[in-house]
Amino acid sequence: MLQTVMQQNLLFYGIGILSFFGVISQIWLWMIYGRMTKDMENERAAKGKLIRQIRQRYGLLKRMGDGNVNTRAFIERSLYQYRHLGRTLHQWRRSGTVTLVLSLILAAAGYYYAGTLRMGLAVRQDYLWAMGIAAAVTALVYGLTDVRYRRSYLETGLLDLLENSGNAAASGKSAKDAFQPAKSPAVLSAQPGPGAESRGQHSAPL
């Protein structure tokens, strides 16, 4: 069984498939962050619901907590809880690392068993090349997509967006309270009524 796997180069196919899925996962994650960043920068034309939902939940927590909300922690929690195609953003990012590790394990196994089965030095070198190519491609994709920067930029933009919206709402409320006229107590009129005038006319001095 093992000799059949080695002779048919199934391990090479496995390394290629794992590397492909690792690259696709990072490109897909890069696209997710790019779409969320566009929605944050232009919320009115947003195609996704995440930014709108974050803003609505933040406003609700702001009202319930009397304005005391840790904005940065709220943003991080919202991004950790967000799911795309049933997976969190952290799981999408971890997919690239997991597939790389599995690819290196397969390549190492192929290198070892190629020596055990006496398949020649060239085959063992091919597995070493496969390890290097898988690592290089994954590192290149990680460097080009730069998901960490995109996440940091998104968090900073959301922090600025939510804090500005909260300050605007607070300033609008204070301005409304300032321009609202204060209720004054009723002032008693000092003018005599009709009854007092009639009494004054009937009680003329002698």
Side-chain angles (χ1 to χ4, degrees), residues 61-105:
L61 289 176
K62 198 88 170 175
R63 290 190 296 270
M64 293 176 60
D66 197 16
N68 297 322
V69 179
N70 190 335
T71 308
R72 185 173 294 277
F74 170 77
I75 292 173
E76 292 180 356
R77 185 171 63 253
S78 299
L79 292 179
Y80 280 127
Q81 293 175 350
Y82 174 71
R83 289 182 174 272
H84 182 77
L85 298 179
R87 307 187 68 189
T88 63
L89 298 177
H90 177 69
Q91 290 173 338
W92 278 106
R93 178 170 177 77
R94 194 174 58 180
S95 298
T97 305
V98 172
T99 54
L100 174 61
V101 171
L102 293 177
S103 299
L104 296 180
I105 291 175

Side-chain angles (χ1 to χ4, degrees), residues 33 37 40-41 51 71-72 75-76 79 148-164:
Y33 277 119
T37 301
M40 176 201 62
E41 293 175 345
I51 305 301
T71 308
R72 185 173 294 277
I75 292 173
E76 292 180 356
L79 292 179
R148 287 187 177 181
Y149 170 76
R150 281 185 169 260
R151 183 184 178 90
S152 177
Y153 179 78
L154 178 63
E155 289 179 352
T156 304
L158 286 174
L159 181 65
D160 183 64
L161 175 67
L162 295 180
E163 287 186 345
N164 286 339

Side-chain angles (χ1 to χ4, degrees), residues 4-75:
T4 303
V5 171
M6 296 296 296
Q7 289 177 350
Q8 294 183 357
N9 296 325
L10 296 181
L11 291 182
F12 282 113
Y13 291 120
I15 294 170
I17 292 173
L18 287 172
S19 300
F20 174 77
F21 278 112
V23 169
I24 292 299
S25 67
Q26 297 312 298
I27 295 176
W28 193 261
L29 181 61
W30 175 75
M31 294 174 62
I32 294 173
Y33 277 119
R35 187 162 52 248
M36 289 192 296
T37 301
K38 288 182 180 180
D39 291 345
M40 176 201 62
E41 293 175 345
N42 190 7
E43 187 181 359
R44 294 183 178 179
K47 297 181 180 180
K49 299 180 180 180
L50 176 64
I51 305 301
R52 192 179 302 111
Q53 290 175 353
I54 288 178
R55 193 165 185 175
Q56 291 174 354
R57 289 201 305 265
Y58 180 78
L60 180 61
L61 289 176
K62 198 88 170 175
R63 290 190 296 270
M64 293 176 60
D66 197 16
N68 297 322
V69 179
N70 190 335
T71 308
R72 185 173 294 277
F74 170 77
I75 292 173

